[in-house]
Amino acid sequence: MKELPLITPVSSSCCSTEATSDACCAPALESATDSTSEVRGEVDGLRVVLAIDGMDCASCAITLERSVRQVDGVHRAVVNFAAARLDVVHDEAATTHDIERAVQRAGFRVADPDHGAGSSYWRTSRARLTASAGVLYLMGLIALLAPVPEAATIAVFASCIALAGLPVFRSAWVALRARHLDMNVLMSAATVGATIIGEWAEAASVVVLFSIGNALQAYAVDRTRNAVRALVKLTPLEVTVLRDGIETLMEAGEVQVDDHFVVRPGERIALDGRIVEGSSSLNEAPVTGESMVVEKSIGDRVLSGTLNTDGALVVRAERLAADSTLQHIIRLVEQAQATKAPTEQLVDRFSRIYTPIVVLASLALIIVPVLLGGDPSTWVYRGLALLIIACPCSLVISTPVTVVSAIGAASRRGVLIKGGEALEAMGRMHVLAFDKTGTLTEGRPVVTSVHVVGDVTRERALVLAGSVERRSQHPLAHAILTAAEGLDLLEPTQFMSIPGRGAAAQIDGQQVYVGSPRLLHEHSIATDTITSQLDAIHEAGETPVVLATTGGPLAAFGISDAIRHDARDALDELRRAGISRMLMITGDSEQAAKRVADELGLEHRAELLPQDKLEIIRELHARHGIVGMVGDGVNDAPALAAASVSFAMGAAGSDAALEAADVALMSDDLHHIGRAVRLSRAAERIIRQNVVWSLLIKGAFVLFAPFGLVTLWAAVLADMGTSLAVTANGLRLFRHDR
Ligand code: ADP
Ligand code: MG
C-alpha cells in the first residue's frame, strides 16, 4: 500500500503561522486538523504534508522550517518534530521537488513512502558515527587514567570530537545560515570553545553526550510515531477480486469501487465494503480498539483492517483502498499529533525569550570578568557551561512527546483525540453533557404502543407515518418504519425534516406531520383529542410521536429505547475519573427523559430544541469553564460545536462524525469516554511534571554556572538527561492501559 504525500486544500486558518521561534530546539507544531477534504495524489495542490527522515533533535524542526520557507512560492512551512511531519502551504511557483531539495539542503530526507514506517534510526549514518565516537570517548577516558602521553590522549579525544561533531557542526552551519540559534549551534560553540581553552576531554563529552542523548530520544520517539502507522500494515496488499465469476489476485490499490472480492476465513479485509454473500464473525479491533467479534451477514458494512474469523465472504468494495476508514483514521491521528497543545505554545513563547537572554548572559559572563582582569580560561569555561544551559531542549520536548504518545495510545484503543488542545481540555474537564438517544440509550427505538384517534385504523396510521419517515434519518423514524414493515407505504413529496421536532411531507395531497407534541402546537394543530393517549404514553415513560394532518391528530405512537446496558457502569467510571457534573440534555418528553435520567442517576433537561441545547452548553461553559458534550451528531451539531470538547460515538461508521468531533469514539462503547478522560488526566499530569522538572533543573544550573559550580559535561548530561527523562515520562502514556 502506497503512502502518498497528503495534500489538502488551504483553509482560511492557515495563516497563523508566522510565529517563528528563535529558541533552540523548539519544534514548531501547528494545527493541521482544520483540513476537511483531503485529496491524495501527485502534488499540484496547495498544501503538502511530507514525512521527514533524519530529524533527531527537536531543534532541527525550526531549521528545516526556515530552510523550506526560503523556497520561492512557499507560504508557510511547519514542522512537527514529534510526528516527523513537514506541512507546507505553497503556490504553483514551488514544486514538491523544490521543497524536497530544500529538505535535503537542511540535511534531512523526505521519507520513502513505502519504507518510511520501517526506517530505523540505528541504521542512519549519524547513529553509526555516534556509536564510533562513543567508543573513542571511552578510550580517551581510559587514556586519561592510564600512563599514556598527553598528546596521544588529545589525539583520541580530537578524533572523537571530529566523528561525533561532524553532523552536529554541519547542522549548526545549516541552522546559522537559516539564522537560527539552535542547539546544534550552542553545542558546537561549546565544543569548539572548550578545545580552544585546551579542555579536550570536556569538549568530547559535550559532543558525545549530546549525540547519544539525541540518538536515544530519536529512537524512542520514532517507535511511538511508527506504532500508529503500523496499523496500515494490517490491511492486506492483495485482494482476490471476483469479476465475471473468475477470481483474480490484484493489488488492493487497483480494486475499483463496486468490485466484488472474496475474503476467506482467517483473512483480513482489504477494503471498506458491504457483504453481498456469506456471513461471518469479524474482529474489528484495529478500527474500534476493541477485540470483540461482531456477527455480520449480507448487507452489513465491513471495514478494512478487520479480521474475518470463520466464514467465507464476498464483499462489494465501497471505497478505494486509499480512502478506507482505517486510512482516514490514521491520517487524522497524524494530523492530531501535529497540533500544538496550549502548554506547548506557552513553552515555545517562553523559550523564545529564554534562549537569547541566557546566550547574552553567557557572553557577558566571559567578557565582563576578563575585561576586569579575570582569568580568561576560567571565565570562558563558565560562559560555555551557561551557553549549554541556554538550550531549553527538555522543556520544549516535554509537551509534544506526551501529546504524541497519548494520542497514539488512545488511537490504538479506538479513541481518536483530535489534537493537543482537545487532550489538554479533556484532562481538565469536570462537566459533561450527554445526548440521550443513541448515546445513553441503545439508539434502536421500538414502537411499543399505537394509540389511534376516532376511526383511524392502526394500519392507516402506520402507513401515513411510515411514508413520511422513509425520508428521515432520525432513529425514531427507523422505529416507525420497522413497525410499518410489510405495509404498502406511499410516496411522500415535499419532505421536510424539522430538527428537534419531527418531519412533515405531502401524502396523497395531504400535509402530514410526524413528531413531538410540540410540533403540533407550533403548527396550531389542536391536541385535545389525543390528550388521554399522550397521558398513557407518558405514564409508560415512552417517547411520544404524534401523527397529524392539518385537520388534527390521527394517532400517537409510544416508542421506547432501552438504556445501554453498560451506561450505568460507564457513568460511574467517569465520576471516579473526576467528572463531577453530568447531565442529560434531550429533545424527548420530560417523562421519558426522567425515566432514563433517574435510572442512571443523572441530572436532566428535556423537551429541548437544538438551540436550547446550545444555550445550555453555553451556560455551563460560562459557569464551569471546560464543558464536554457527548452526542451522535445527528441533530446536535450546534451544541457539540459549542462544547469545549465534543465526543462522537460510533464514529467508525460516519465520516462526518469522525471529522467533526474533537474526540471520536470508533465503537459505540461508552466506556471509551472514561478511558479517554483517564488518559488525558494522566497526560495533563505528565506534562505538568515535565515542565516543572525541566524548569527546576534549568533554573538550578543557570544559578550555579556563574560560580563555576557546573562543569561542561555536567551541563550536557543534565540537559540530555532531563530531555530523556521527560521523553521517557511522556512515552509512558503509550503503555497506559486500563
Ligand atoms: P434527542 O435529544 O433525544 O436526540 P431530538 O432532538 O433528535 O432528540 O428530537 C426531539 C424530539 O423530536 C423527539 O423526541 C421526537 O419527539 C421528535 N422528532 C424528531 N425527529 C423526529 C422524526 N423524524 N420522527 C418522529 N419524531 C421526531
Ligand atoms: Mg439526537
Side-chain angles (χ1 to χ4, degrees), residues 435 437 469 472 474 476 500-502 515-516 544-545 586-588 613 635:
D435 177 40
T437 315
E469 298 284 34
S472 167
H474 203 274
L476 293 182
R501 302 153 174 97
S516 63
V545 168
T586 176
D588 205 343
K613 294 185 184 177
N635 51 13

Side-chain angles (χ1 to χ4, degrees), residues 187 205-207 209-210 388 711-721:
M187 294 297 170
S205 353
V206 170
V207 65
L209 291 177
F210 174 65
I388 292 171
T711 60
L712 293 189
W713 63 264
V716 183
L717 202 63
D719 212 68
M720 289 293 114

